[in-house]
């Protein structure tokens, strides 16, 4: 597949970082942004200070508010917050020709329906050939050209391969996979677990507790993944364990830093009031809880995150409840 032009929906940190990478790789890039101010700033000053401060954007990146401009490109990347995917894909739909690829780059599960992003896309943009791009990648790192490696999943492996080759770049290595469920679950659930890891940090529970949280959190991802048909090598790979380690381990993560602030005693509304950026784990926690019930799997850490962010339980009570669970086999 020839990828000489790319349309990107979402002018936040990640959409802008991908635009920068693809422009540096020689692609024509058109970037749809939600706010008129963001469109103006990218076109007039080659900056996106609200979402990706400190990065001078390639002058060839053209920002737009028109979905028709996006649909005209060879490949479309969908990079909105997960809870907005349905709305932006529906807006794109009248302009989009059937059979063309649409690569979902959002990490989350729809809160209102419990659906994975690929299922939301199938309803909102039914003619698209869906793929998922996910893996350990901070926008600020990728936009500065630091090396990163991610996974692109597509049910048709040949198309996945050509998309990975068409979108990849020296410092953004893209591995392909046909396991769309595994790639989506890893990217969504790591955000919930990163809030928990941040709480452990903010509460100063120590490095041993932090490691235990990652390992037991991964056990929850693996359990749900197995129940939903994900492959274990996907869950162990870049989009699963790889992204879990990155996001739980760095306060550069919005999810981890939110958890840390909660653990330090700050109030959720006050933290969210100070940020423009999306913290996906808050919204995905509810959807994960629904999936855990539906597939009858135990996910006590994810459930504790939901109970904390929905105000059902205090952090101290959640920690007490996790630590007093009966001893059990490790599986
Ligand atoms: N930032 C990263 O490092 C990174 C890396 C990989 C994946 N992602 C994923 O990419 C997705 C987008 O995150 P981000 O970091 O680019 O966003 P961001 O937090 O930088 O910005 C929020 C975005 O939401 C948009 N927005 C707000 N209201 C909207 C609406 N009603 N409809 C459509 N868009 C709206 C804003 O215009 C902005 O583009 C998320 O799912 C995130 O998990 C982010
Ligand atoms: O800042 P976060 O927590 O949204 O994480 C960003 C990326 O998903 C890391 O891979």
């Amino acid at each position: 597949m020839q990828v000489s032009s790319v349309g990107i929906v979402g002018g936040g940190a990640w959409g802008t970082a991908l635009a920068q990478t693809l422009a540096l790789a020689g692609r024509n890039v058109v970037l749809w942004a939600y706010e008129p101010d963001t469109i103006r700033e990218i076109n007039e000053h080659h900056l996106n200070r609200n979402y990706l401060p400190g990065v001078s954007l390639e002058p060839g990146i053209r920002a737009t508010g028109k979905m028709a401009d996006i649909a005209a490109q060879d490949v479309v990347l969908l990079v909105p917050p997960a809870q907005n995917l349905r709305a932006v894909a529906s807006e794109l739909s009248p302009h989009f020709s059937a059979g063309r690829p649409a690569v979902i780059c959002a990490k989350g599960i729809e809160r209102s329906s419990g659906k994975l992003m690929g299922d939301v896309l199938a309803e909102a943009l039914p003619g698209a050939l869906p793929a998922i791009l996910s893996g350990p990648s901070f926008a600020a790192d990728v936009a500065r050209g630091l090396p990163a490696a991610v996974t692109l999943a597509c049910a048709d492996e040949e198309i996945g391969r050509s998309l990975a080759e068409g979108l990849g770049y020296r410092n953004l290595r893209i591995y392909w996979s046909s396991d769309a469920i595994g790639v989506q679950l890893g990217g969504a659930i790591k955000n919930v677990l990163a809030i928990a890891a941040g709480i452990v940090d903010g509460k100063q529970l120590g490095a041993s507790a932090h490691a235990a949280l990652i390992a037991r959190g991964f056990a929850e991802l693996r359990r749900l993944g197995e129940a939903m048909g994900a492959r274990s090598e996907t869950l162990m790979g870049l989009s699963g364990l790889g992204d879990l380690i990155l996001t739980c381990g760095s306060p550069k993560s919005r999810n981890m830093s939110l958890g840390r602030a909660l653990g330090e005693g700050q109030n959720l509304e006050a933290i969210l009031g100070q940020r423009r950026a999306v913290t996906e784990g808050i919204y995905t926690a509810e959807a994960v809880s629904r999936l855990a019930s539906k597939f009858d799997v135990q996910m006590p850490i994810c459930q504790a995150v939901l109970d904390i962010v929905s105000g059902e339980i205090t952090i101290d009570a959640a920690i007490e409840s996790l630590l007093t669970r009966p001893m059990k086999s490790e599986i």
Side-chain angles (χ1 to χ4, degrees), residues 9-16 32-35 38 48 50-52 78-85 87-88 105-108 133-140 187 190-191 243 252 254-255 276-280:
V9 176
W14 189 222
T16 309
W32 178 95
Y34 180 67
E35 302 91 351
T38 304
N48 184 354
N50 280 335
Y51 294 113
L52 196 61
L78 297 166
V79 205
Q83 306 308 320
N84 301 116
L85 178 74
V88 296
C105 308
K107 295 175 179 173
L133 185 79
S134 193
S137 47
F138 284 135
K190 65 88 184 172
N191 284 332
D243 211 355
K252 274 162 72 179
R254 287 87 52 97
N255 289 283
R276 193 186 288 264
V278 65
T279 308
E280 293 283 21

Side-chain angles (χ1 to χ4, degrees), residues 200-283:
V200 166
D201 216 54
K203 276 287 199 187
Q204 300 188 8
L205 299 183
S208 307
H210 190 262
L213 185 281
I214 292 176
R216 295 312 298 160
F218 181 72
E220 294 187 13
L221 166 62
R222 200 195 59 228
R223 259 181 239 139
L224 184 64
E226 279 171 5
M228 291 182 68
R231 290 203 293 266
S232 65
E233 61 266 32
T234 311
L235 302 175
M236 293 287 290
L238 290 164
S239 58
L241 189 56
D243 211 355
L244 183 64
I245 290 170
L246 176 76
T247 316
C248 289
S250 168
K252 274 162 72 179
S253 152
R254 287 87 52 97
N255 289 283
M256 196 280 195
S257 63
L258 176 129
R260 183 192 258 187
L262 288 175
E264 287 167 349
Q266 293 183 44
N267 167 277
L268 179 63
E269 275 66 43
I271 304 165
L272 291 178
Q274 289 159 11
R275 15 176 105 179
R276 193 186 288 264
V278 65
T279 308
E280 293 283 21
I282 293 179
Y283 315 105

Side-chain angles (χ1 to χ4, degrees), residues 56-74:
S56 295
L57 298 173
E58 286 296 292
I61 298 171
R62 180 165 68 87
T64 184
K66 294 184 194 142
M67 284 294 184
D69 295 344
I70 296 297
Q73 312 310 315
D74 293 338

